[in-house]
């Protein structure tokens, strides 16, 4: 029996809203790198994500040359969160956000300002700058950031109402690299919707993010580049449900048995 | 031999790889073939920019199994039709830190041998010591696509076929028994599911480098291939961008392709850039080509990145409809 059959949908949905919108699933699915648009479509059907993200490249925006692919995305009938992947400056990201608003008729923008070409680590300085400009223009900004609390504060001050810290570098599949940092972020911003974005490799990583109390996980490479994207999309869907249910169920604390704190009953003193 | 009075008159529209292979296939079956392209020459579309890799097993990394099954016969077809198919296999390599990608490539494909430092040095002496693990696909091959297109045109003429390269077809389509449409994105009215996938490629001349087979370099974001041509010329390709923009190559794409070539071997730093090319690949949503019959018209379209790999099989399928 599928998990969704035995629990009400509400039982794994976050109470925190994303700019007034409640996600229908804690899974956000990226649309890049699939073997074909058809396999992407099947993966979306299997994952039933709350949103799909789509990147807008300049080559596609000129004369709307990417329209054929965008139409395929829009036909998926899942809310679209356009992103600014591949932008290296605040200015580029702002321009791309404008194009995305026009193409997808949405004020949502997943803001990426990349600072380093190899690790794709965010340039948090450019990010805060672009977030401020876009928020003032009425955009609803979903910033891809690190787990740095000070940067997070500045993003909120710039107008962001959602934070998307990385788990590990984009496409690395390393999982949640800094558990302490992600936990601190959850504790520090109890009312802000938080999404682990980037670095997730396998469904257990996604479940772990939800177990920490995160509201959603964004996954792309781990689905698109798997040998069977459709099956792993379903696995991720189940994993985020499991993680969210577990978080709400108040799991037990782990215990360090290596440091006994009570007398050992039933064991005779040998001396 | 079919008697001339039994010949069917067939118009093949589009002189890319699909159209040329189809025209030759039909002419070889004794039909009266007219090839037409409004672009004024052969290869006015994406075929001109192709890599020319005949790599059924490597393609299984991202293509469904039916692509591999359908494309195996094409290597034999090209060997029958071209004098210089390079049958050296193909080699898949990855930089040391991306060796995980090599493992996954191997899990998604078949018909390869895992090879190490010594074998790589033996097969490609210029790469000696640079790579310590690779996958060798011994049954794969490559061709020079532009020379292949010219050779097919000569073959068609030799079989009595006619080729017309004018902006307007000077003949009535209704005067033909069959029309085979191989015009890619221009046939969108009949194939509304088609989309274009932009691809960019470079031609480099690097006199310090010799390679004997096509090489794929894996990378999490920028996988590339390098196909050696004659005279130390190398084709480096190709980007895959969901866009139908056919304008000039972007600086980013040039940097990415050149970076990857440089990572394969620093000698590419001194290479001469001969050409920067852009093509838009006609593709269906599943990236699998189709042969579709509609009355006396047959469409062969959606070749995606598999034009040279699949054209012989699709041409045979079309010919079986026409000649049955």
């Amino acid at each position: 029996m599928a998990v969704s059959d035995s629990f009400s949908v509400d039982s794994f949905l976050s109470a925190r809203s994303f700019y007034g919108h409640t996600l229908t699933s804690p899974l956000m699915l990226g649309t890049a790198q699939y073997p074909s648009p058809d396999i992407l479509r099947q993966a979306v059907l299997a994952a039933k994500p709350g949103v799909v993200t789509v990147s807008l490249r300049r080559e596609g925006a000129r004369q709307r040359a990417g329209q054929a692919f965008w139409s395929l995305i829009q036909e998926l009938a899942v809310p679209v969160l356009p992103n600014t992947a591949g932008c290296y400056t605040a200015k580029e990201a702002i321009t791309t956000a404008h194009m995305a608003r026009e193409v997808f008729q949405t004020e949502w923008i997943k803001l990426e300002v990349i600072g380093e070409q190899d690790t794709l680590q965010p340039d948090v300085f450019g990010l805060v700058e672009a977030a401020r400009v876009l928020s003032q223009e009425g955009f609803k900004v979903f910033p891809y950031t690190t787990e740095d609390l000070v940067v997070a504060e500045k993003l909120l001050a710039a107008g962001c109402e959602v934070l998307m810290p990385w788990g590990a570098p984009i496409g690395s599949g390393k999982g949640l690299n800094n558990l302490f940092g992600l936990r601190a972020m959850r504790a520090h911003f109890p009312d802000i919707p938080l999404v682990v974005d980037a670095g997730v490799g396998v469904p257990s990583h996604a479940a772990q993010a939800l177990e920490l109390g995160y509201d959603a996980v964004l996954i792309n490479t781990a689905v698109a580049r798997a040998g069977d994207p459709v099956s792993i999309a379903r696995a991720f869907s189940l994993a985020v449900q499991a993680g969210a249910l577990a978080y709400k169920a108040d799991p037990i604390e782990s215990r360090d048995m290596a440091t006994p704190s009570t007398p050992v009953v039933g064991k005779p003193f040998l001396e | 031999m079919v008697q001339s009075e039994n010949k069917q008159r067939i118009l093949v529209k589009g002189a890319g790889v699909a159209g040329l292979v189809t025209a030759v296939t039909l002419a070889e079956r004794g039909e009266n073939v007219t090839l037409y392209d409004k672009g004024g020459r052969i290869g006015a579309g994406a075929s001109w920019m192709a890599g020319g890799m005949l790599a059924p097993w490597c393609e299984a990394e991202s293509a469904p199994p039916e692509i591999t099954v359908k494309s195996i016969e094409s290597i034999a077809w090209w060997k029958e039709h071209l004098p210089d198919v390079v049958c050296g296999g193909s080699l898949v390599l990855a930089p040391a830190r991306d060796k995980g990608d090599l493992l996954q490539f191997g899990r998604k494909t078949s018909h390869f041998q895992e090879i190490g430092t010594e074998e790589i040095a033996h097969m490609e002496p210029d790469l000696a010591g640079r790579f310590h693990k690779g996958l060798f696909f011994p049954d794969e091959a490559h061709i020079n696509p532009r020379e292949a297109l010219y050779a097919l045109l000569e073959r068609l003429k030799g079989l009595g076929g006619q080729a017309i390269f004018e902006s307007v077809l000077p003949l009535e389509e209704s005067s033909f028994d069959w029309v085979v449409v191989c015009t890619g994105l221009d046939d969108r009215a009949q194939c509304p599911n088609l989309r274009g996938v932009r691809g960019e490629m470079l031609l480099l001349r690097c006199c310090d480098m010799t390679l004997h087979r096509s090489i794929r370099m894996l990378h999490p974001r920028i996988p590339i291939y390098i196909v050696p041509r004659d005279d130390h010329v190398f084709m480096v390709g190709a980007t895959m961008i969901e866009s139908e923009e056919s304008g000039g190559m972007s600086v980013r794409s040039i940097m990415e392709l050149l970076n990857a070539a440089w990572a394969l071997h620093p000698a590419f730093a001194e290479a001469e850039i001969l050409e920067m090319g852009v093509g838009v690949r006609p593709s269906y949503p599943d990236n699998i080509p189709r042969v579709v019959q509609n009355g006396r018209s047959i469409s062969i379209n959606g070749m995606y990145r598999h034009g040279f790999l699949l054209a012989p099989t699709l041409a045979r399928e079309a010919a079986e409809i026409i000649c049955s």
Side-chain angles (χ1 to χ4, degrees), chain A residues 57 59, chain B residues 198-202 222 224 236 239-241 248-259:
Chain A
R57 282 192 59 151
E59 295 91 334
Chain B
R198 176 180 163 99
E200 298 153 303
M201 57 79 91
L202 295 167
I222 316 156
I224 65 147
V236 184
T239 55
M240 305 276 290
I241 300 171
M249 198 170 176
S250 73
V251 170
R252 176 181 301 175
S253 295
I254 294 170
M255 301 270 285
E256 288 176 351
L257 293 183
L258 290 180
N259 258 332

Side-chain angles (χ1 to χ4, degrees), chain A residues 48-87:
Chain A
K48 298 188 178 63
V51 299
V52 289
T53 65
V54 56
S55 78
L56 224 65
R57 282 192 59 151
R58 296 295 178 80
E59 295 91 334
R62 283 198 292 265
Q63 288 108 43
R64 299 177 78 87
Q67 187 60 52
F69 183 69
W70 301 333
S71 297
L72 291 169
I73 302 285
Q74 283 166 320
E75 284 164 16
L76 299 172
V78 176
V80 174
L81 173 60
N83 70 39
T84 64
C87 290

Side-chain angles (χ1 to χ4, degrees), chain A residues 4-254:
Chain A
S4 54
D5 296 337
S6 41
F7 297 93
S8 74
V9 171
D10 290 346
S11 62
F12 52 82
L13 290 183
S14 166
R16 301 180 191 91
S17 83
F18 292 73
Y19 293 100
H21 175 91
T22 303
L23 296 185
T24 57
S25 157
L27 185 61
M28 298 183 169
L29 192 63
T31 57
Q33 301 185 65
Y34 289 79
S36 71
D38 198 49
I39 291 177
L40 160 62
R41 187 182 59 77
Q42 293 175 43
V44 168
L45 289 175
K48 298 188 178 63
V51 299
V52 289
T53 65
V54 56
S55 78
L56 224 65
R57 282 192 59 151
R58 296 295 178 80
E59 295 91 334
R62 283 198 292 265
Q63 288 108 43
R64 299 177 78 87
Q67 187 60 52
F69 183 69
W70 301 333
S71 297
L72 291 169
I73 302 285
Q74 283 166 320
E75 284 164 16
L76 299 172
V78 176
V80 174
L81 173 60
N83 70 39
T84 64
C87 290
Y88 283 82
T89 64
K91 188 181 170 192
E92 268 183 285
I94 291 165
T95 307
T96 305
H98 289 159
M99 296 190 311
R101 180 164 63 181
E102 201 178 307
V103 168
F104 291 104
Q105 300 288 307
T106 175
E107 281 163 341
W108 283 14
I109 188 76
K110 193 197 141 198
L111 184 61
E112 289 184 25
V113 182
I114 300 302
E116 211 279 318
Q117 195 181 0
D118 192 37
T119 61
L120 302 181
Q121 178 163 345
D123 168 3
V124 295
F125 303 95
L127 182 69
V128 171
E129 183 190 337
R132 182 179 299 114
V133 172
L134 290 170
S135 297
Q136 280 169 1
E137 291 179 3
F139 281 93
K140 298 180 167 44
V141 178
F142 294 62
Y144 164 59
T145 183
T146 66
E147 65 278 47
D148 188 301
L149 297 178
V150 182
V151 172
E153 292 279 13
K154 291 193 186 297
L155 285 167
L156 298 178
C160 298
E161 295 177 17
V162 174
L163 295 169
M164 301 183 72
W166 64 351
I170 292 176
S172 67
K174 288 280 188 197
L176 310 186
N177 254 0
N178 181 356
L179 269 180
F180 166 75
L182 290 172
R183 241 190 238 122
M185 204 162 186
R186 180 69 286 174
H188 203 78
F189 302 107
D191 302 322
I192 301 295
L194 298 179
V195 184
V196 167
D197 177 7
V200 168
V202 288
S204 54
H205 296 154
Q208 191 183 19
L210 272 294
E211 287 163 8
L212 292 180
Y214 275 65
D215 300 274
V217 183
L218 195 156
I219 296 149
N220 190 345
T221 309
V223 172
R225 300 290 298 147
D228 181 350
V230 180
S231 293
I232 209 161
R234 173 84 177 127
F236 272 109
S237 166
L238 296 170
V240 293
Q241 292 176 27
L245 279 171
Y247 176 67
K248 290 194 175 180
D250 188 16
I252 62 164
E253 296 293 331
S254 64

Side-chain angles (χ1 to χ4, degrees), chain A residues 35 37-38 59 65 86 118 225, chain B residues 61 97 108 243-244 252 285 287:
Chain A
D38 198 49
E59 295 91 334
D118 192 37
R225 300 290 298 147
Chain B
E61 191 256 342
R97 75 162 198 186
K108 290 176 175 178
S243 167
E244 292 169 18
R252 176 181 301 175
N287 294 341

Side-chain angles (χ1 to χ4, degrees), chain B residues 123-182:
Chain B
M123 292 169 72
E124 297 291 355
D126 279 359
L127 299 180
R130 299 191 57 74
F131 295 90
H132 303 289
K133 204 169 173 216
L135 307 179
F136 176 54
F137 292 74
D139 303 326
E140 298 190 332
H142 71 264
I143 56 177
N144 182 326
R146 296 177 185 182
E147 287 176 5
L149 296 180
Y150 280 119
L152 291 178
L153 182 62
E154 288 312 307
R155 171 80 175 147
L156 176 66
K157 289 175 177 170
L159 291 163
Q162 184 189 10
I164 301 172
F165 298 110
E166 293 175 23
S167 54
V168 180
L169 180 65
L171 301 164
E172 288 293 330
E173 282 193 25
S174 57
S175 67
F176 290 91
D177 297 310
W178 289 89
V179 179
V180 185
V181 185
C182 306

